[in-house]
């Protein structure tokens, strides 16, 4: 992992594990990891020019693929923080990784790679990223090599 993907003890917690997220094994259920990764995406988007201005121009991001790897359990009321990185991008796609951490103990709980598409919301079709967004992707500190997802197309 790159430096930007490491645990930051000063990072604010995204959330605490809620009672309704805990399953019969006493740890956070797998579905709610995706919920927290979605929260991490919302925090990450403004740094990539994918916030209000992007949506105001009639664009949105749609998740096309997602892969989650579970590393260590978190339990009721554990504080959660995340790091995020751009792994790759092209004219219409963006590949990112989030790493989820216990916000106090610092251990990694899970990681998630996500493939997003730029979508013209009026046409409901995939479209090229606006230039300021592509520039933000290029300026972002690059993450390490993807573990599972890729931008290449199958042969």
């Amino acid at each position: 992992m790159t430096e930007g993907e490491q645990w930051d003890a000063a990072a604010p917690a995204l959330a605490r594990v809620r009672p309704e997220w805990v399953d019969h094994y006493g740890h956070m259920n797998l579905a709610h990891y995706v919920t927290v990764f979605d929260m991490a995406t919302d925090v990450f988007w403004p740094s990539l020019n994918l916030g209000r201005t992007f949506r105001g121009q009639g664009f949105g991001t749609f998740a096309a693929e997602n892969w989650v790897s579970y590393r260590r359990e978190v339990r009721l009321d554990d504080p959660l923080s995340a790091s995020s990185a751009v792994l790759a991008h092209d004219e219409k796609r963006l590949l990112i990784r989030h790493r989820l951490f216990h916000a106090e103990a610092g251990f990694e709980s899970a990681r998630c790679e996500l493939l997003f598409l730029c979508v013209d919301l009026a046409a409901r079709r995939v479209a090229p990223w606006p230039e300021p967004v592509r520039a933000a992707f290029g300026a972002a500190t690059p993450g390490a090599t993807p573990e599972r997802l890729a931008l290449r197309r199958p042969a």
Side-chain angles (χ1 to χ4, degrees):
M1 297 295 128
T2 63
E3 185 176 319
E5 290 185 89
Q6 300 302 318
W7 176 58
D8 179 358
L14 282 173
R16 287 190 168 278
V17 178
R18 301 174 187 172
E20 62 270 22
W21 294 355
V22 176
D23 63 19
H24 52 272
Y25 296 115
H27 59 215
M28 189 162 79
N29 180 271
L30 65 95
H32 299 291
Y33 280 85
V34 176
T35 298
V36 178
F37 286 128
D38 195 45
M39 292 174 179
T41 298
D42 290 343
V43 170
F44 191 40
W45 266 187
S47 72
L48 299 175
N49 291 332
L50 294 173
R52 206 171 269 161
T53 302
F54 178 71
R55 290 188 305 275
Q57 294 171 341
F59 294 104
T61 55
F62 285 18
E65 198 169 349
N66 139 63
W67 170 76
V68 178
S69 172
Y70 305 96
R71 307 297 170 123
R72 188 168 165 186
E73 69 180 356
V74 289
R75 303 182 73 177
L76 179 64
D77 206 39
D78 282 350
L80 306 172
S81 64
S83 67
S84 304
V86 171
L87 303 181
H89 60 90
D90 65 14
E91 181 182 322
K92 298 178 182 179
R93 298 176 297 170
L94 171 66
L95 180 58
I96 67 169
R97 176 174 28 243
H98 296 304
R99 294 179 70 207
L100 184 65
F101 299 94
H102 186 290
E104 293 170 356
F107 64 80
E108 182 181 21
S109 178
R111 59 182 67 166
C112 179
E113 290 180 5
L114 291 137
L115 177 63
F116 286 96
L117 305 174
C118 178
V119 174
D120 176 321
L121 296 174
R124 306 304 278 194
R125 297 274 185 220
V126 176
W129 299 106
E131 187 51 43
V133 172
R134 288 193 71 179
F137 295 169
T141 303
T145 303
E147 294 178 64
R148 290 288 193 269
L149 303 184
L151 294 185
R152 69 182 179 277
R153 295 189 187 273

